[in-house]
Amino acid sequence: MFRKVTLAAAALAISAAFAVGPVWAKPVVIKFSHVVAENTPKGQMANKFKDLVAERLGGKVVVEVYPNSQLFGDNKVLEAMLLGDVQMAAPSLSKFERYTKKVALYDLPFLFEDMAAVDKFQSSKEGQDMLAAMKKKGLVGLGYLHNGLKQLSSSKPLKVPADVAGLKFRIMSSDVLAAQFKAVKATPLKKPFSEVFTLLQTRAIDGQENTWSNIYSKKFFEVQPYITESNHGLLDYMVVTSAEFWMDLSDELRVEVKKALDEAILFGNKVAADKAKTDKQKIIDSKRSQILELTPEERAQWVEVMKPVWKKFEHEIGKELIDAAYNANN
Ligand code: LMR
């Protein structure tokens, strides 16, 4: 009798719990993997996203951030995303080559004069449409995030393109970047970000291109005596997720997660603008690396030899898209 009553009570408790939704339901976990340090625009954006989600969706969605290539490096993260092993990442726009040729637009040297032009283009229809460029491959772009303009760091002072001839440069996995360095007769080597410091330190390569915040946070300036302030290219990111994961979320959660992400991106963009100045200053103050400025005539020489790269990739990227991005400059 007693046993019957307890079983009935337990059954009642279980059905009551299901009626209001199981209190022990597992949260949706978003593993966010990235390759940079936490104290960078991307690192801070990811942590902000995690905090906003915890604050607003506490319990229902949990964001776990894995910085510094801890979980996946550049080469593996998108594959891992399609397999469901990671749910979000923000690779640089140079790292989508295997999934779309269009995004290579952003690697064209001297395309954008400043970040205001980048913002203008990215918020245009053409820029927004590019977020969906990998849909057929199962990847959804959720937004762009800035880092900034790239500089050239080297073991030799670089003022004009002829100074680069014969040097080995690490590049991200982009054929446009490879063509850019070949145009100045350097040897480009596609290597993951996690290997750059050691390659520079051991002199296996002579230089690399990156933003002030990456050069500072990964200590490249400690092993590169010269940095040319070239602002020759853009380092920007796309926050991506898998279409499968994204569409599996309930409508309500998808809206809330996207809102938190948009806010985190705005925050990350402010960090980027700030770090482009403060991290540069920290490198100057360290006196470990000398910063070289280009005269307008010297800069014109770089533009002249690198700009033909645009033509080379016009058929893959599309002339109209290149024009639209270039026109954002004025
Ligand atoms: C690089 O590989 O040089 C950078 O794109 C790393 C990053 O994500 O900022």
Side-chain angles (χ1 to χ4, degrees), residues 34-36 42 74 90-92 94-95 147 170-172 191-194 196 208-211 214 220 235 237:
H34 68 82
V35 298
V36 290
K42 182 159 54 183
D74 297 324
S92 90
S94 315
K95 294 177 184 168
N147 188 320
R170 176 268 173 175
I171 56 163
M172 295 181 270
K191 294 284 179 189
F193 188 58
S194 55
V196 181
Q208 61 88 45
E209 51 165 20
N210 236 305
T211 57
N214 278 347
F220 299 161
L235 176 58
Y237 307 111

Side-chain angles (χ1 to χ4, degrees), residues 120-136:
K120 190 170 166 197
F121 174 69
Q122 289 182 340
S123 54
S124 71
K125 178 168 178 339
E126 289 90 345
Q128 287 295 302
D129 284 352
M130 286 173 84
L131 293 172
M134 294 172 287
K135 220 168 166 185
K136 281 197 189 131

Side-chain angles (χ1 to χ4, degrees), residues 1-12:
M1 175 66 185
F2 172 74
R3 204 174 128 72
K4 257 193 191 160
V5 171
T6 8
L7 282 179
L12 207 69

Side-chain angles (χ1 to χ4, degrees), residues 209-233:
E209 51 165 20
N210 236 305
T211 57
W212 293 113
S213 75
N214 278 347
I215 294 173
Y216 178 72
S217 60
K218 287 294 177 187
K219 301 191 186 331
F220 299 161
F221 70 101
E222 293 187 1
V223 288
Q224 290 275 264
Y226 302 98
I227 303 172
T228 301
E229 188 167 26
S230 50
N231 291 319
H232 64 281

Side-chain angles (χ1 to χ4, degrees), residues 4 8 27 48 67 72 80 96 102-103 123 130 138 150 166 187 205 216 221 225 259 265 274 308 311 317 322 329:
K4 257 193 191 160
K48 181 80 171 178
F72 293 106
F96 289 100
K102 286 251 171 293
V103 175
S123 54
M130 286 173 84
K150 290 180 289 188
T187 306
I205 54 173
Y216 178 72
F221 70 101
K259 223 156 118 191
I265 287 176
D274 189 41
K311 197 89 202 137
I317 298 169
I322 298 176
N329 286 309

